[in-house]
Amino acid sequence: MDIIERLHQGEMIRMDDPDYHKVQEQIDWVFAKTIELNKLPFGHALIREKINELLGIRIDETTTVCIPFYTDWGKNTTIGKEVFINMGCTFMDRGGITVEDRVLIGPKANIITENHPEDPELRRYVYSKPVHIKKGAWIGASVTVLPGVTVGENAIVAAGAVVTKDVPDNTIVGGVPAKIIRKIKTK
C-alpha cells in the first residue's frame, strides 16, 4: 500500500520510511501555497481561489476563510456551507478534517489530526486520526481540537479549551482538558 494511503488510514509512519519523500513533497507544496495565500491583502479577490487550490475543493460562496490560514496537508479537508473560519487558524489535516454546515471557528483555533506515540522508542513515528466538526458547532478562539475527536451538532467549545475527547451534541465544554460545562438550552 502507498505511504499516502497508509497515512490516511492511521498507520504509524516513520519519518525515515523509504517513501516518506512523497509525504514531504506534499507538505512542501502546501507550505509554498500557504505562503502565497497569506501574502495576499485582506479582502483580495484571489483568496477564495487560492484556498480552493490549497484544499483541493471548491468552498461554497456562503463560506468564509480568513487569512492568515495554515495547513500542513491541504487536500484532506472538507468544508460545508455557511461556515466562518476566523484568522490565524491551523488545520493539520493529514488524518482528515470535516467541517459541516454553519460551523463557526474562532481566531487561532487549531484542528490537529496528527500525533506521535508516547513510547520514546516510537516517537519519531507519526499517525493520524480524523476530526469531525458537526453542523452548527462553535469552536471558540484559541481552541485546540486533537486527533480523533468529533465535536457534536450545535456544541460550543469555550475559548482556550483543549478538546481531547468527543463533545456531545448541544453541549458546552471548556478547560484543559475540555470538560462538559452544561447542556445548551434550546427553545
Side-chain angles (χ1 to χ4, degrees):
M1 190 179 338
D2 182 68
I3 191 169
I4 305 302
E5 292 173 55
R6 292 173 23 225
L7 181 74
H8 292 316
Q9 290 185 5
E11 183 179 315
M12 283 199 294
I13 305 293
R14 189 162 174 86
M15 295 164 109
D16 64 0
D17 183 293
D19 287 332
Y20 194 80
H21 66 93
K22 294 177 183 178
V23 173
Q24 193 61 53
E25 287 166 8
Q26 176 65 17
I27 292 169
D28 292 347
W29 181 86
V30 166
F31 282 2
K33 292 296 179 183
T34 300
I35 290 168
E36 287 177 24
L37 168 68
N38 291 328
K39 282 184 178 179
L40 293 171
F42 183 78
H44 194 284
L46 285 178
I47 291 173
R48 181 173 299 277
E49 180 181 318
K50 291 286 186 187
I51 289 170
N52 287 339
E53 179 183 8
L54 184 63
L55 299 180
I57 59 174
R58 193 130 212 87
I59 57 172
D60 192 82
E61 292 297 320
T62 62
T63 289
T64 299
V65 179
C66 298
I67 57 173
F69 175 80
Y70 306 96
T71 183
D72 75 331
W73 194 259
K75 305 281 186 195
N76 217 5
T77 294
T78 59
I79 300 173
K81 297 176 182 176
E82 299 180 51
V83 171
F84 184 84
I85 300 171
N86 215 319
M87 65 181 89
C89 291
T90 298
F91 281 34
M92 294 182 71
D93 67 334
R94 287 186 230 176
I97 297 173
T98 301
V99 179
E100 292 186 3
D101 296 344
R102 296 186 348 267
V103 168
L104 302 174
I105 300 179
K108 297 184 181 177
N110 300 295
I111 313 298
I112 312 297
T113 67
E114 294 105 60
N115 206 350
H116 302 275
E118 291 178 5
D119 182 340
E121 297 299 316
L122 301 175
R123 194 129 334 128
R124 298 290 298 167
Y125 284 79
V126 64
Y127 64 91
S128 304
K129 292 182 180 177
V131 169
H132 191 148
I133 303 172
K134 291 189 173 181
K135 184 172 43 174
W138 174 15
I139 308 296
S142 298
V143 164
T144 298
V145 179
L146 294 178
V149 167
T150 295
V151 176
E153 199 168 310
N154 301 316
I156 298 172
V157 180
V162 176
V163 186
T164 61
K165 296 178 182 168
D166 290 351
V167 177
D169 293 349
N170 301 303
T171 302
I172 300 172
V173 300
V176 179
K179 295 185 181 346
I180 294 174
I181 295 171
R182 65 178 169 83
K183 291 296 262 177
I184 295 172
K185 297 174 186 159
T186 58
K187 293 180 182 181

Short mmCIF file of all heavy atoms in Angstrom, two decimals, residues 36-93:
data_model
loop_
_atom_site.label_atom_id
_atom_site.label_comp_id
_atom_site.label_asym_id
_atom_site.label_seq_id
_atom_site.Cartn_x
_atom_site.Cartn_y
_atom_site.Cartn_z
N GLU A 36 1.93 31.83 -0.38
CA GLU A 36 1.27 32.64 -1.43
C GLU A 36 -0.06 33.19 -0.94
O GLU A 36 -0.36 34.37 -1.12
CB GLU A 36 1.02 31.80 -2.68
CG GLU A 36 2.22 31.46 -3.50
CD GLU A 36 1.86 30.55 -4.68
OE1 GLU A 36 0.68 30.55 -5.13
OE2 GLU A 36 2.76 29.84 -5.16
N LEU A 37 -0.87 32.32 -0.35
CA LEU A 37 -2.19 32.71 0.15
C LEU A 37 -2.07 33.83 1.18
O LEU A 37 -2.75 34.85 1.09
CB LEU A 37 -2.90 31.50 0.77
CG LEU A 37 -4.16 31.79 1.60
CD1 LEU A 37 -5.29 32.29 0.69
CD2 LEU A 37 -4.59 30.56 2.37
N ASN A 38 -1.21 33.63 2.16
CA ASN A 38 -1.15 34.56 3.29
C ASN A 38 -0.43 35.87 2.97
O ASN A 38 -0.48 36.81 3.76
CB ASN A 38 -0.53 33.86 4.50
CG ASN A 38 -1.47 32.79 5.04
OD1 ASN A 38 -2.69 32.92 4.97
ND2 ASN A 38 -0.90 31.73 5.57
N LYS A 39 0.16 35.99 1.78
CA LYS A 39 0.76 37.25 1.33
C LYS A 39 -0.29 38.18 0.71
O LYS A 39 -0.04 39.37 0.52
CB LYS A 39 1.86 36.99 0.31
CG LYS A 39 3.16 36.54 0.90
CD LYS A 39 4.20 36.40 -0.21
CE LYS A 39 5.54 35.99 0.34
NZ LYS A 39 6.52 35.84 -0.74
N LEU A 40 -1.45 37.62 0.36
CA LEU A 40 -2.49 38.43 -0.28
C LEU A 40 -3.05 39.43 0.72
O LEU A 40 -3.19 39.13 1.90
CB LEU A 40 -3.62 37.54 -0.80
CG LEU A 40 -3.26 36.60 -1.95
CD1 LEU A 40 -4.41 35.63 -2.22
CD2 LEU A 40 -2.93 37.40 -3.20
N PRO A 41 -3.41 40.63 0.25
CA PRO A 41 -4.03 41.61 1.16
C PRO A 41 -5.44 41.17 1.55
O PRO A 41 -6.14 40.50 0.78
CB PRO A 41 -4.05 42.90 0.35
CG PRO A 41 -3.79 42.52 -1.06
CD PRO A 41 -3.20 41.15 -1.08
N PHE A 42 -5.85 41.55 2.74
CA PHE A 42 -7.19 41.21 3.23
C PHE A 42 -8.24 41.64 2.22
O PHE A 42 -8.19 42.72 1.67
CB PHE A 42 -7.44 41.91 4.58
CG PHE A 42 -8.77 41.55 5.17
CD1 PHE A 42 -8.95 40.35 5.82
CD2 PHE A 42 -9.85 42.41 5.06
CE1 PHE A 42 -10.17 40.00 6.36
CE2 PHE A 42 -11.08 42.08 5.60
CZ PHE A 42 -11.23 40.87 6.25
N GLY A 43 -9.20 40.75 1.95
CA GLY A 43 -10.28 41.04 1.03
C GLY A 43 -9.94 40.85 -0.44
O GLY A 43 -10.79 41.09 -1.30
N HIS A 44 -8.73 40.41 -0.75
CA HIS A 44 -8.31 40.24 -2.14
C HIS A 44 -9.18 39.18 -2.82
O HIS A 44 -9.51 38.15 -2.25
CB HIS A 44 -6.84 39.85 -2.20
CG HIS A 44 -6.23 39.98 -3.55
ND1 HIS A 44 -6.46 39.08 -4.57
CD2 HIS A 44 -5.41 40.93 -4.07
CE1 HIS A 44 -5.80 39.46 -5.64
NE2 HIS A 44 -5.14 40.58 -5.37
N ALA A 45 -9.50 39.42 -4.08
CA ALA A 45 -10.38 38.52 -4.85
C ALA A 45 -9.79 37.13 -5.03
O ALA A 45 -10.53 36.16 -5.23
CB ALA A 45 -10.69 39.14 -6.21
N LEU A 46 -8.48 37.00 -4.97
CA LEU A 46 -7.85 35.69 -5.19
C LEU A 46 -7.85 34.79 -3.95
O LEU A 46 -7.50 33.61 -4.06
CB LEU A 46 -6.40 35.88 -5.65
CG LEU A 46 -6.20 36.33 -7.09
CD1 LEU A 46 -4.71 36.51 -7.38
CD2 LEU A 46 -6.81 35.33 -8.06
N ILE A 47 -8.23 35.29 -2.80
CA ILE A 47 -8.17 34.49 -1.57
C ILE A 47 -8.98 33.20 -1.71
O ILE A 47 -8.48 32.10 -1.45
CB ILE A 47 -8.61 35.30 -0.33
CG1 ILE A 47 -7.56 36.37 -0.02
CG2 ILE A 47 -8.84 34.38 0.88
CD1 ILE A 47 -7.96 37.34 1.06
N ARG A 48 -10.22 33.31 -2.13
CA ARG A 48 -11.08 32.12 -2.28
C ARG A 48 -10.47 31.13 -3.27
O ARG A 48 -10.43 29.93 -3.03
CB ARG A 48 -12.49 32.52 -2.70
CG ARG A 48 -13.45 31.36 -2.86
CD ARG A 48 -14.87 31.85 -3.11
NE ARG A 48 -15.37 32.63 -2.01
CZ ARG A 48 -15.91 32.13 -0.90
NH1 ARG A 48 -16.04 30.85 -0.76
NH2 ARG A 48 -16.33 32.92 0.07
N GLU A 49 -9.97 31.64 -4.40
CA GLU A 49 -9.35 30.79 -5.41
C GLU A 49 -8.13 30.05 -4.84
O GLU A 49 -7.95 28.86 -5.08
CB GLU A 49 -8.95 31.64 -6.61
CG GLU A 49 -8.31 30.89 -7.74
CD GLU A 49 -7.92 31.83 -8.88
OE1 GLU A 49 -8.71 32.74 -9.21
OE2 GLU A 49 -6.82 31.64 -9.42
N LYS A 50 -7.29 30.76 -4.10
CA LYS A 50 -6.08 30.15 -3.52
C LYS A 50 -6.45 29.11 -2.46
O LYS A 50 -5.80 28.07 -2.37
CB LYS A 50 -5.18 31.22 -2.90
CG LYS A 50 -4.53 32.13 -3.91
CD LYS A 50 -3.42 31.43 -4.65
CE LYS A 50 -2.68 32.38 -5.55
NZ LYS A 50 -1.71 31.68 -6.39
N ILE A 51 -7.48 29.37 -1.67
CA ILE A 51 -7.92 28.39 -0.67
C ILE A 51 -8.46 27.15 -1.36
O ILE A 51 -8.16 26.02 -0.96
CB ILE A 51 -8.94 29.01 0.31
CG1 ILE A 51 -8.21 30.01 1.22
CG2 ILE A 51 -9.64 27.93 1.13
CD1 ILE A 51 -9.10 30.86 2.06
N ASN A 52 -9.25 27.35 -2.42
CA ASN A 52 -9.75 26.20 -3.19
C ASN A 52 -8.60 25.35 -3.73
O ASN A 52 -8.64 24.12 -3.66
CB ASN A 52 -10.63 26.67 -4.34
CG ASN A 52 -11.98 27.19 -3.88
OD1 ASN A 52 -12.45 26.88 -2.79
ND2 ASN A 52 -12.60 28.01 -4.70
N GLU A 53 -7.58 26.01 -4.26
CA GLU A 53 -6.42 25.29 -4.79
C GLU A 53 -5.69 24.55 -3.67
O GLU A 53 -5.34 23.37 -3.81
CB GLU A 53 -5.47 26.28 -5.47
CG GLU A 53 -4.23 25.64 -6.04
CD GLU A 53 -3.27 26.66 -6.65
OE1 GLU A 53 -3.48 27.89 -6.50
OE2 GLU A 53 -2.30 26.21 -7.27
N LEU A 54 -5.48 25.22 -2.57
CA LEU A 54 -4.77 24.64 -1.43
C LEU A 54 -5.48 23.41 -0.88
O LEU A 54 -4.87 22.38 -0.61
CB LEU A 54 -4.63 25.71 -0.34
CG LEU A 54 -3.85 25.37 0.91
CD1 LEU A 54 -2.41 25.07 0.58
CD2 LEU A 54 -3.94 26.53 1.89
N LEU A 55 -6.80 23.50 -0.73
CA LEU A 55 -7.58 22.41 -0.15
C LEU A 55 -8.04 21.38 -1.19
O LEU A 55 -8.50 20.30 -0.83
CB LEU A 55 -8.79 22.96 0.61
CG LEU A 55 -8.48 23.89 1.78
CD1 LEU A 55 -9.77 24.37 2.43
CD2 LEU A 55 -7.56 23.23 2.79
N GLY A 56 -7.95 21.75 -2.45
CA GLY A 56 -8.37 20.82 -3.50
C GLY A 56 -9.87 20.62 -3.55
O GLY A 56 -10.36 19.60 -4.01
N ILE A 57 -10.61 21.61 -3.06
CA ILE A 57 -12.08 21.58 -3.07
C ILE A 57 -12.57 22.94 -3.53
O ILE A 57 -11.80 23.88 -3.67
CB ILE A 57 -12.67 21.26 -1.67
CG1 ILE A 57 -12.23 22.31 -0.62
CG2 ILE A 57 -12.31 19.85 -1.23
CD1 ILE A 57 -12.88 22.15 0.74
N ARG A 58 -13.85 23.04 -3.74
CA ARG A 58 -14.47 24.32 -4.05
C ARG A 58 -15.34 24.68 -2.85
O ARG A 58 -16.38 24.06 -2.64
CB ARG A 58 -15.31 24.20 -5.32
CG ARG A 58 -15.73 25.53 -5.86
CD ARG A 58 -15.38 25.59 -7.36
NE ARG A 58 -15.04 26.91 -7.84
CZ ARG A 58 -13.83 27.46 -7.81
NH1 ARG A 58 -12.84 26.85 -7.29
NH2 ARG A 58 -13.61 28.64 -8.33
N ILE A 59 -14.88 25.64 -2.03
CA ILE A 59 -15.70 26.04 -0.89
C ILE A 59 -16.88 26.86 -1.38
O ILE A 59 -16.77 27.62 -2.34
CB ILE A 59 -14.90 26.79 0.20
CG1 ILE A 59 -14.21 28.03 -0.34
CG2 ILE A 59 -13.89 25.86 0.87
CD1 ILE A 59 -13.58 28.90 0.73
N ASP A 60 -18.00 26.68 -0.71
CA ASP A 60 -19.24 27.35 -1.08
C ASP A 60 -19.08 28.87 -0.93
O ASP A 60 -18.34 29.35 -0.06
CB ASP A 60 -20.38 26.84 -0.19
CG ASP A 60 -21.73 27.28 -0.69
OD1 ASP A 60 -22.25 26.62 -1.61
OD2 ASP A 60 -22.26 28.28 -0.16
N GLU A 61 -19.80 29.60 -1.74
CA GLU A 61 -19.76 31.07 -1.70
C GLU A 61 -20.24 31.63 -0.35
O GLU A 61 -19.91 32.76 -0.01
CB GLU A 61 -20.60 31.66 -2.84
CG GLU A 61 -20.00 31.41 -4.22
CD GLU A 61 -18.65 32.05 -4.43
OE1 GLU A 61 -18.43 33.18 -3.99
OE2 GLU A 61 -17.79 31.38 -5.04
N THR A 62 -21.01 30.84 0.40
CA THR A 62 -21.50 31.29 1.71
C THR A 62 -20.48 31.07 2.81
O THR A 62 -20.73 31.44 3.96
CB THR A 62 -22.81 30.56 2.08
OG1 THR A 62 -22.54 29.15 2.18
CG2 THR A 62 -23.89 30.81 1.05
N THR A 63 -19.36 30.47 2.49
CA THR A 63 -18.32 30.15 3.47
C THR A 63 -17.20 31.17 3.38
O THR A 63 -16.80 31.57 2.29
CB THR A 63 -17.80 28.72 3.24
OG1 THR A 63 -18.82 27.81 3.64
CG2 THR A 63 -16.54 28.43 4.00
N THR A 64 -16.67 31.56 4.55
CA THR A 64 -15.57 32.50 4.62
C THR A 64 -14.40 31.85 5.36
O THR A 64 -14.59 31.31 6.45
CB THR A 64 -15.99 33.78 5.38
OG1 THR A 64 -17.06 34.40 4.68
CG2 THR A 64 -14.83 34.75 5.51
N VAL A 65 -13.23 31.92 4.76
CA VAL A 65 -11.99 31.51 5.41
C VAL A 65 -11.09 32.73 5.43
O VAL A 65 -10.67 33.22 4.38
CB VAL A 65 -11.30 30.33 4.69
CG1 VAL A 65 -10.01 29.96 5.40
CG2 VAL A 65 -12.23 29.14 4.58
N CYS A 66 -10.82 33.25 6.63
CA CYS A 66 -9.97 34.44 6.76
C CYS A 66 -8.50 34.05 6.73
O CYS A 66 -8.13 32.96 7.16
CB CYS A 66 -10.28 35.16 8.07
SG CYS A 66 -11.97 35.77 8.20
N ILE A 67 -7.69 34.97 6.24
CA ILE A 67 -6.25 34.75 6.29
C ILE A 67 -5.67 35.60 7.42
O ILE A 67 -6.28 36.59 7.81
CB ILE A 67 -5.58 35.05 4.93
CG1 ILE A 67 -5.87 36.48 4.48
CG2 ILE A 67 -6.00 34.05 3.90
CD1 ILE A 67 -5.10 36.89 3.23
N PRO A 68 -4.55 35.19 8.00
CA PRO A 68 -3.78 34.03 7.60
C PRO A 68 -4.48 32.72 7.96
O PRO A 68 -5.22 32.64 8.95
CB PRO A 68 -2.46 34.18 8.36
CG PRO A 68 -2.81 34.98 9.56
CD PRO A 68 -3.92 35.89 9.14
N PHE A 69 -4.24 31.73 7.13
CA PHE A 69 -4.75 30.37 7.32
C PHE A 69 -3.59 29.42 7.06
O PHE A 69 -2.82 29.62 6.13
CB PHE A 69 -5.89 30.09 6.32
CG PHE A 69 -6.42 28.69 6.36
CD1 PHE A 69 -7.32 28.31 7.33
CD2 PHE A 69 -6.00 27.75 5.43
CE1 PHE A 69 -7.81 27.01 7.37
CE2 PHE A 69 -6.49 26.45 5.45
CZ PHE A 69 -7.39 26.08 6.44
N TYR A 70 -3.48 28.40 7.91
CA TYR A 70 -2.35 27.48 7.80
C TYR A 70 -2.86 26.04 7.72
O TYR A 70 -3.83 25.68 8.38
CB TYR A 70 -1.43 27.61 9.03
CG TYR A 70 -0.97 29.02 9.25
CD1 TYR A 70 -1.63 29.86 10.15
CD2 TYR A 70 0.11 29.55 8.54
CE1 TYR A 70 -1.22 31.17 10.34
CE2 TYR A 70 0.52 30.86 8.72
CZ TYR A 70 -0.14 31.66 9.63
OH TYR A 70 0.27 32.96 9.81
N THR A 71 -2.17 25.25 6.92
CA THR A 71 -2.45 23.82 6.84
C THR A 71 -1.14 23.12 6.51
O THR A 71 -0.22 23.73 5.98
CB THR A 71 -3.54 23.50 5.80
OG1 THR A 71 -3.81 22.10 5.81
CG2 THR A 71 -3.15 23.93 4.41
N ASP A 72 -1.06 21.82 6.83
CA ASP A 72 0.17 21.09 6.53
C ASP A 72 -0.03 20.02 5.46
O ASP A 72 0.91 19.41 5.00
CB ASP A 72 0.76 20.47 7.79
CG ASP A 72 0.01 19.25 8.27
OD1 ASP A 72 -1.21 19.16 8.03
OD2 ASP A 72 0.63 18.37 8.90
N TRP A 73 -1.28 19.80 5.04
CA TRP A 73 -1.55 18.79 4.01
C TRP A 73 -2.45 19.37 2.93
O TRP A 73 -2.23 19.19 1.76
CB TRP A 73 -2.18 17.54 4.64
CG TRP A 73 -2.17 16.39 3.70
CD1 TRP A 73 -3.21 15.94 2.95
CD2 TRP A 73 -1.05 15.58 3.36
NE1 TRP A 73 -2.81 14.87 2.17
CE2 TRP A 73 -1.48 14.63 2.42
CE3 TRP A 73 0.28 15.56 3.77
CZ2 TRP A 73 -0.63 13.68 1.87
CZ3 TRP A 73 1.13 14.61 3.23
CH2 TRP A 73 0.66 13.68 2.30
N GLY A 74 -3.55 19.99 3.36
CA GLY A 74 -4.41 20.71 2.43
C GLY A 74 -5.48 19.92 1.75
O GLY A 74 -6.62 20.33 1.70
N LYS A 75 -5.14 18.79 1.22
CA LYS A 75 -6.08 18.05 0.36
C LYS A 75 -6.94 17.06 1.14
O LYS A 75 -7.53 16.17 0.56
CB LYS A 75 -5.30 17.28 -0.71
CG LYS A 75 -4.39 18.14 -1.55
CD LYS A 75 -5.12 18.88 -2.61
CE LYS A 75 -4.14 19.60 -3.51
NZ LYS A 75 -4.71 20.58 -4.33
N ASN A 76 -7.04 17.23 2.44
CA ASN A 76 -7.79 16.26 3.24
C ASN A 76 -8.78 16.96 4.17
O ASN A 76 -9.01 16.52 5.29
CB ASN A 76 -6.82 15.37 4.02
CG ASN A 76 -7.30 13.95 4.12
OD1 ASN A 76 -8.30 13.57 3.54
ND2 ASN A 76 -6.58 13.15 4.89
N THR A 77 -9.33 18.08 3.69
CA THR A 77 -10.31 18.86 4.45
C THR A 77 -11.55 19.05 3.61
O THR A 77 -11.46 19.32 2.41
CB THR A 77 -9.72 20.25 4.81
OG1 THR A 77 -8.63 20.06 5.71
CG2 THR A 77 -10.75 21.15 5.45
N THR A 78 -12.71 18.91 4.23
CA THR A 78 -13.97 19.29 3.58
C THR A 78 -14.64 20.34 4.46
O THR A 78 -14.60 20.26 5.68
CB THR A 78 -14.91 18.09 3.37
OG1 THR A 78 -15.21 17.49 4.63
CG2 THR A 78 -14.30 17.05 2.47
N ILE A 79 -15.24 21.33 3.80
CA ILE A 79 -15.87 22.45 4.50
C ILE A 79 -17.25 22.66 3.91
O ILE A 79 -17.40 22.79 2.70
CB ILE A 79 -15.03 23.73 4.37
CG1 ILE A 79 -13.62 23.51 4.97
CG2 ILE A 79 -15.72 24.90 5.04
CD1 ILE A 79 -12.67 24.67 4.75
N GLY A 80 -18.25 22.72 4.77
CA GLY A 80 -19.64 22.89 4.34
C GLY A 80 -20.01 24.32 4.00
O GLY A 80 -19.16 25.19 3.80
N LYS A 81 -21.32 24.55 3.98
CA LYS A 81 -21.88 25.86 3.65
C LYS A 81 -22.06 26.70 4.92
O LYS A 81 -22.24 26.17 6.01
CB LYS A 81 -23.24 25.69 2.97
CG LYS A 81 -23.16 24.97 1.65
CD LYS A 81 -24.53 24.73 1.06
CE LYS A 81 -24.40 23.96 -0.25
NZ LYS A 81 -25.69 23.62 -0.82
N GLU A 82 -22.04 28.03 4.73
CA GLU A 82 -22.26 29.00 5.81
C GLU A 82 -21.29 28.80 6.96
O GLU A 82 -21.63 28.99 8.13
CB GLU A 82 -23.70 28.95 6.31
CG GLU A 82 -24.73 29.28 5.24
CD GLU A 82 -26.14 29.21 5.76
OE1 GLU A 82 -26.42 29.83 6.81
OE2 GLU A 82 -26.96 28.52 5.13
N VAL A 83 -20.06 28.43 6.63
CA VAL A 83 -19.00 28.25 7.63
C VAL A 83 -18.21 29.54 7.71
O VAL A 83 -17.98 30.21 6.70
CB VAL A 83 -18.08 27.07 7.23
CG1 VAL A 83 -16.85 26.98 8.11
CG2 VAL A 83 -18.86 25.76 7.25
N PHE A 84 -17.77 29.89 8.92
CA PHE A 84 -16.89 31.04 9.11
C PHE A 84 -15.66 30.57 9.88
O PHE A 84 -15.78 30.09 11.00
CB PHE A 84 -17.58 32.18 9.87
CG PHE A 84 -16.71 33.40 9.99
CD1 PHE A 84 -16.65 34.32 8.96
CD2 PHE A 84 -15.93 33.60 11.13
CE1 PHE A 84 -15.83 35.44 9.05
CE2 PHE A 84 -15.12 34.72 11.23
CZ PHE A 84 -15.06 35.64 10.19
N ILE A 85 -14.50 30.70 9.24
CA ILE A 85 -13.23 30.34 9.86
C ILE A 85 -12.43 31.64 10.01
O ILE A 85 -12.05 32.26 9.02
CB ILE A 85 -12.46 29.31 9.01
CG1 ILE A 85 -13.30 28.03 8.86
CG2 ILE A 85 -11.10 29.01 9.62
CD1 ILE A 85 -12.76 27.02 7.88
N ASN A 86 -12.20 32.04 11.24
CA ASN A 86 -11.56 33.31 11.53
C ASN A 86 -10.06 33.24 11.27
O ASN A 86 -9.51 32.18 10.97
CB ASN A 86 -11.86 33.73 12.97
CG ASN A 86 -12.01 35.23 13.12
OD1 ASN A 86 -11.26 36.00 12.53
ND2 ASN A 86 -12.97 35.65 13.92
N MET A 87 -9.38 34.37 11.43
CA MET A 87 -7.97 34.48 11.08
C MET A 87 -7.06 33.69 12.03
O MET A 87 -7.36 33.49 13.19
CB MET A 87 -7.55 35.94 11.05
CG MET A 87 -7.62 36.62 12.38
SD MET A 87 -7.15 38.35 12.26
CE MET A 87 -8.71 39.09 11.91
N GLY A 88 -5.96 33.23 11.44
CA GLY A 88 -4.91 32.59 12.23
C GLY A 88 -5.16 31.14 12.58
O GLY A 88 -4.48 30.60 13.44
N CYS A 89 -6.10 30.49 11.92
CA CYS A 89 -6.40 29.09 12.23
C CYS A 89 -5.41 28.15 11.55
O CYS A 89 -4.90 28.44 10.47
CB CYS A 89 -7.81 28.74 11.81
SG CYS A 89 -9.05 29.57 12.82
N THR A 90 -5.17 27.01 12.20
CA THR A 90 -4.28 25.98 11.67
C THR A 90 -5.07 24.68 11.55
O THR A 90 -5.65 24.22 12.53
CB THR A 90 -3.07 25.77 12.59
OG1 THR A 90 -2.33 26.99 12.67
CG2 THR A 90 -2.18 24.65 12.08
N PHE A 91 -5.08 24.12 10.36
CA PHE A 91 -5.73 22.83 10.09
C PHE A 91 -4.64 21.84 9.69
O PHE A 91 -4.18 21.84 8.56
CB PHE A 91 -6.72 22.95 8.93
CG PHE A 91 -8.04 23.55 9.27
CD1 PHE A 91 -8.17 24.55 10.22
CD2 PHE A 91 -9.18 23.13 8.61
CE1 PHE A 91 -9.41 25.10 10.51
CE2 PHE A 91 -10.42 23.67 8.90
CZ PHE A 91 -10.54 24.65 9.85
N MET A 92 -4.20 21.00 10.62
CA MET A 92 -3.25 19.93 10.31
C MET A 92 -4.09 18.73 9.93
O MET A 92 -4.56 17.99 10.79
CB MET A 92 -2.33 19.68 11.49
CG MET A 92 -1.42 20.88 11.77
SD MET A 92 -0.27 20.62 13.11
CE MET A 92 0.86 19.45 12.39
N ASP A 93 -4.28 18.54 8.62
CA ASP A 93 -5.37 17.68 8.13
C ASP A 93 -4.94 16.37 7.48
O ASP A 93 -5.70 15.78 6.72
CB ASP A 93 -6.26 18.48 7.17
CG ASP A 93 -5.56 18.86 5.88
OD1 ASP A 93 -4.32 18.98 5.87
OD2 ASP A 93 -6.27 19.07 4.88
#
